Amino acid sequence: MTELLTKETFLEKVFNFEKNKEWKFEGEIPCIIDFYADWCGPCKMVAPILEELSDDYNGKVNIYKVDTEAEQELAAAFGIRSIPSMLFVPKDGEPQMAQGALPKHQLEQIMNDVLSVSK
């Protein structure tokens, strides 16, 4: 099940950018953050794929969603200019951003390569 994040829950579960200047992941397992908006057509196409992935990778990867309309400060902090944009956050190492409505096989490839997880 994907989880909607607010700025407050983002600071707690992903990265407290108010406290830390350098990247420091706060989570226990890798995650994907989907920056989206309700009016965005491509975002609506990706949403069911992310739900499937959250079931397929349950316990291995957390999938979060950030509504860029409601959480403009978070979107600005990550320089989100186009949506959907997804931030892939490994347990250790630097996160990587991907833009656009990616197909499931490509998302799984990135999860494998960047997050080091497989089904």
Side-chain angles (χ1 to χ4, degrees):
M1 192 73 196
T2 60
E3 180 184 342
L4 191 62
L5 294 182
T6 62
K7 179 185 171 196
E8 185 181 315
T9 52
F10 184 93
L11 294 175
E12 182 183 300
K13 293 182 175 193
V14 182
F15 172 51
N16 188 335
F17 56 84
E18 292 180 334
K19 192 172 74 178
N20 300 306
K21 294 282 176 254
E22 296 296 316
W23 177 261
K24 179 182 178 296
F25 182 48
E26 303 290 345
E28 298 297 315
I29 61 174
C31 69
I32 298 171
I33 298 138
D34 174 30
F35 291 91
Y36 79 101
D38 289 334
W39 50 262
C40 164
C43 299
K44 290 178 180 163
M45 288 171 22
V46 169
I49 295 169
L50 291 175
E51 288 296 335
E52 274 179 47
L53 291 173
S54 79
D55 290 341
D56 293 349
Y57 292 84
N58 189 11
K60 294 180 180 180
V61 175
N62 286 324
I63 298 181
Y64 300 125
K65 297 175 80 63
V66 172
D67 182 344
T68 56
E69 298 287 302
E71 301 296 334
Q72 292 181 2
E73 186 182 349
L74 265 182
F78 285 90
I80 304 300
R81 297 213 185 328
S82 66
I83 50 176
S85 285
M86 283 177 235
L87 186 65
F88 292 84
V89 184
K91 176 86 177 92
D92 301 303
E94 292 295 311
Q96 291 186 29
M97 186 71 76
Q99 294 178 331
L102 302 175
K104 185 175 181 181
H105 72 272
Q106 200 172 348
L107 289 170
E108 289 182 316
Q109 185 65 52
I110 297 170
M111 291 169 76
N112 192 29
D113 296 346
V114 177
L115 304 182
S116 303
V117 292
S118 53
K119 282 187 200 170

